[in-house]
Amino acid sequence: MKTSLIITTYNWPAALNCVLQSVALQTRLPDEVIIADDGSTNATAELIKRLAPDFPVPLIHSWQADKGFRLSRSRNKAINRARYAYIIMIDGDLSLDKHFVADHIAVAEKGYFITGKRVKLSSALSQKALQGPTQLSFFSRGIARGRELAIRSWRLQQYASVKRGNSIEGIHGCNLAFWRQDAIDVNGFNAEFEGWGPEDREFALRLINSGKQRKLIKFYAVAYHLDHNDNSRENLAKNANILRGIQQSGLTRCTLGINEFSQLSDLN
């Protein structure tokens, strides 16, 4: 099964470099990596240009102009460019366990999308990880939250990872996998979302409304989250209303989504 790994980023090339180093060390590489860039400055483009020639798989930079926090649109643009049937999506502030991609592929199943967790690192351990390859594990000093999520075990995963049906609680877009066609069928992420959250849960809800089910994986596909300041929540009330509208209507497709990229010639 061929996979596209999509990594979201915005103006933090040091963190992007960290996650790309962890991608290059995967026991099962993705078949391409697409950087979904929400308008970063040239420093990010220069990093990708420097890494791409020696990166073990194609490294693609999907950039859009900086017109505010437009994560959903950035993800749609990357999904539109993806060449493979299965998509694993993460944020650019993670460091991945070396089995991360292999674990996602192992639990992939038709009719399901996969939601995972992440271990939160302290500021000190995050700074160490940003300096260069760092071996992270359950035993690492400086895990701020979710140490138990650093355990990787097939047996525990089988016990704790459950099919959650129509629940959207605890979904994080930073560790998410789905079939590309399923995303296209619901018109991708809702580009009406601008600013922070909950675009990931709204996307998942429309997948559920379309007949897909959620599978939660725990103790597998381990990812470590670098410490940073929270994004502004100023649009949260407006965005929460969009989610409530989908909960009430049961719609599967959003109005403004991935269809935008089949209608526009200038995708920036």
Side-chain angles (χ1 to χ4, degrees), residues 232-246:
S232 170
R233 304 295 198 260
E234 64 179 344
N235 285 354
L236 183 55
K238 173 188 172 185
N239 289 342
N241 282 334
I242 299 174
L243 174 61
R244 277 193 290 271
I246 298 299

Side-chain angles (χ1 to χ4, degrees), residues 42-139:
N42 286 339
T44 295
E46 290 168 1
L47 171 69
I48 296 168
K49 185 176 180 180
R50 174 169 60 83
L51 295 179
D54 296 317
F55 206 72
V57 298
L59 184 57
I60 301 158
H61 189 193
S62 174
W63 183 89
Q64 66 181 14
D66 187 356
K67 297 180 181 178
F69 191 116
R70 298 189 297 158
L71 177 61
S72 289
R73 187 180 189 275
S74 180
R75 284 172 168 165
N76 285 338
K77 187 171 184 180
I79 293 168
N80 185 64
R81 296 186 65 170
R83 293 184 294 169
Y84 299 113
Y86 199 66
I87 291 175
I88 303 170
M89 182 172 288
I90 63 172
D91 285 349
D93 56 7
L94 300 179
S95 180
L96 307 180
D97 175 83
K98 67 180 180 180
H99 302 290
F100 182 88
V101 172
D103 289 350
H104 263 294
I105 291 173
V107 299
E109 185 178 351
K110 285 288 189 181
Y112 289 86
F113 63 97
I114 310 297
T115 66
K117 299 289 188 178
R118 78 271 201 232
V119 183
K120 292 202 169 185
L121 304 183
S122 68
S123 177
L125 186 53
S126 297
Q127 289 304 313
K128 182 179 178 182
L130 289 169
Q131 299 305 313
T134 303
Q135 188 70 30
L136 298 169
S137 74
F138 173 85
F139 301 102

